[in-house]
Amino acid sequence: MPPMTVDAHVHIWDIQGGKYHVEYDWLTETSDVLYRSYTLADLAPHLGEHGVGALILVQASDSIAESYALLDAAAAAPCPATVVGWLPLHEPDRAADQLARLRRPAFVGVRHMIHRDPDPAWLLRPEVSEGLALLAEAGLSFDAVAETTELLAQVPVIAAEHPTLTVILDHLGKPPVAAGDWQPWADLLGAAAQAPNVVAKISGLATVSAPGFTAAHWQRYVDHALAVFGPDRVMVGGDWPFTLTAASYREVWQATLGTLAGLSPADRAQVLSGTASRVYKLPG
């Protein structure tokens, strides 16, 4: 029996704002396939095919409102689910106040859309460092969506500043798969892995791949991540529904699982479920 898979990167949203009036300022009618509401009911029929038995719901709006919406969704999810929400880390006092209101077992981490923030050095601000210290003290993790080389270079900096904070690198830092390039991504990933509190997420690769990709196109990038981090600091995620701009959920999982085929059963189990279950505090 293959190990259960934790999909460690799932988004949902309601373009009407839903119960909490969430705003997605990046989501417009020009987003094509993305400009519609996506719920866990849409995803649920596809989970069994890939052995997905638990989910991590990840923020897609820099808003407190969405944190509450995700917590509601996690509570009603078809399988165990926890939440990476949002806090105003750049306003530490307000972040502490909001965290006190949000705290519950399902709220396990925080993310800020640093790749969309107008300040490319947002993550290095002194006040943000105070916010990250708040997360570390609370036992929460931080997802770094470092989609540029500049942002990827900042990951080991904040990891060193906050050695008790678990930093999750989303999407392997977006390696240059389509172009087949290697540097500077490879060295930057290696530098991030030098910090023992950084964890990498194999996710979001479909959107940086050429059409018709297979596991072979991803293999050396995944192999490098496994080599520098080790299986106990690597997890997997489908990046649904963002991935639908490039491939189906099935195609993403076929490629992802294909890159892990050479691992031992124990290492494969770590990548598919062990790392995410530990880092994102899944029940059971």
Side-chain angles (χ1 to χ4, degrees):
M1 185 100 178
M4 176 194 76
T5 297
V6 177
D7 186 338
H9 208 92
V10 173
H11 301 286
I12 56 172
W13 56 72
D14 183 339
I15 60 173
Q16 303 302 321
K19 173 183 174 183
Y20 296 99
H21 309 290
V22 185
E23 294 184 4
Y24 298 91
D25 54 8
W26 56 268
L27 187 57
T28 69
E29 293 184 34
T30 59
S31 297
D32 193 23
V33 68
L34 299 181
Y35 190 71
R36 50 153 287 194
S37 295
Y38 285 95
T39 71
L40 290 183
D42 298 317
L43 181 61
H46 307 286
L47 300 178
E49 178 182 357
H50 313 290
V52 175
L55 305 171
I56 312 302
L57 307 186
V58 179
Q59 65 91 228
S61 170
D62 289 342
S63 72
I64 291 293
E66 195 201 27
S67 294
Y68 285 105
L70 292 176
L71 285 168
D72 281 1
C79 56
T82 55
V83 168
V84 176
W86 182 85
L87 287 172
L89 297 178
H90 56 294
E91 298 176 352
D93 290 342
R94 188 162 75 94
D97 178 66
Q98 293 289 354
L99 178 57
R101 300 166 191 263
L102 280 165
R103 281 313 294 266
R104 59 207 73 181
F107 192 81
V108 298
V110 168
R111 187 175 89 148
H112 179 83
M113 298 176 79
I114 57 175
H115 61 310
R116 296 184 183 275
D117 198 284
D119 180 4
W122 182 91
L123 198 53
L124 303 180
R125 292 182 185 177
E127 62 271 25
V128 172
S129 184
E130 289 185 49
L132 293 173
L134 172 71
L135 297 187
E137 183 179 354
L140 302 179
S141 58
F142 178 75
D143 264 56
V145 53
E147 295 194 355
T148 66
T149 54
E150 292 78 14
L151 291 173
L152 183 51
Q154 294 171 15
V155 170
V157 175
I158 64 164
E161 287 179 356
H162 304 281
T164 62
L165 174 69
T166 299
V167 180
I168 297 104
L169 174 62
D170 290 350
H171 313 323
L172 290 187
K174 290 286 186 175
V177 179
D181 291 341
W182 190 245
Q183 297 292 6
W185 171 83
D187 284 349
L188 289 170
L189 193 80
Q194 288 296 307
N197 52 321
V198 177
V199 174
K201 191 182 294 188
I202 302 170
S203 59
L205 300 187
T207 52
V208 290
S209 300
F213 66 85
T214 66
H217 295 96
W218 296 1
Q219 192 69 58
R220 69 171 181 151
Y221 301 100
V222 171
D223 285 349
H224 181 55
L226 289 167
V228 296
F229 282 97
D232 62 338
R233 287 199 289 146
V234 176
M235 63 180 80
V236 291
D239 197 28
W240 182 92
F242 276 106
T243 192
L244 299 180
T245 61
S248 69
Y249 194 67
R250 172 182 291 171
E251 290 167 331
V252 167
W253 280 110
Q254 285 175 337
T256 301
L257 296 174
T259 64
L260 307 176
L263 295 181
S264 70
D267 286 349
R268 184 178 168 91
Q270 274 297 322
V271 175
L272 290 180
S273 63
T275 302
S277 295
R278 181 184 76 250
V279 169
Y280 286 131
K281 301 176 182 176
L282 281 162

